[in-house]
């Protein structure tokens, strides 16, 4: 996670992170600590048990999109990095 974030992070962008419900609580807490360090990273508190090919993939994505719309409605791009 740290490597990916360092690779893609730009101060002018907004980021939303959803940590799967199946992931360890320690991972969720580590991501939460990093998200607290900057104002343009949002962590979705509602953790969904994402199953590929299931509606849960879209549900997690939709939660992030709603959160990002609160930050800005002037998007040029939207990327999903799973």
């Amino acid at each position: 996670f740290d490597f990916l974030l360092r690779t893609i992070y730009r101060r002018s962008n907004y980021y939303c992170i959803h940590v799967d419900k199946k992931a360890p609580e320690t991972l969720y807490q580590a991501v939460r600590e990093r998200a607290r360090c900057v104002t343009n990273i949002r962590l979705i508190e509602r953790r969904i048990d994402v199953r590929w090919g299931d509606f849960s993939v879209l549900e997690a994505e939709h939660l992030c999109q709603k959160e990002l719309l609160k930050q800005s409605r002037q998007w040029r791009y939207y990327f999903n990095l799973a």
Side-chain angles (χ1 to χ4, degrees), residues 2-76:
D2 288 335
F3 177 77
L4 176 62
L5 190 59
R6 281 193 308 268
T7 303
I8 67 170
Y9 183 81
R10 300 293 178 267
R11 195 179 328 220
S12 60
N13 294 338
Y14 293 103
Y15 300 88
C16 178
I17 300 168
H18 170 265
V19 177
D20 194 301
K21 193 171 188 174
K22 293 182 291 292
E25 182 66 23
T26 53
L27 174 63
Y28 179 77
Q29 294 303 326
V31 172
R32 173 184 264 170
E33 290 303 312
R34 282 151 184 84
R36 286 182 180 163
C37 295
V38 290
T39 59
N40 62 339
I41 296 178
R42 296 286 185 238
L43 176 65
I44 298 298
E45 291 186 27
R46 182 173 164 215
R47 296 174 66 186
I48 296 171
D49 183 6
V50 175
R51 297 179 189 275
W52 290 108
D54 188 44
F55 178 74
S56 58
V57 175
L58 297 175
E59 188 176 8
E61 196 70 24
H62 186 246
L63 289 174
C64 269
Q65 290 170 349
K66 287 188 340 186
E67 187 63 34
L68 291 171
L69 280 171
K70 292 177 189 175
Q71 301 304 306
S72 173
R73 293 186 174 264
Q74 302 289 323
W75 297 358
R76 285 187 171 181

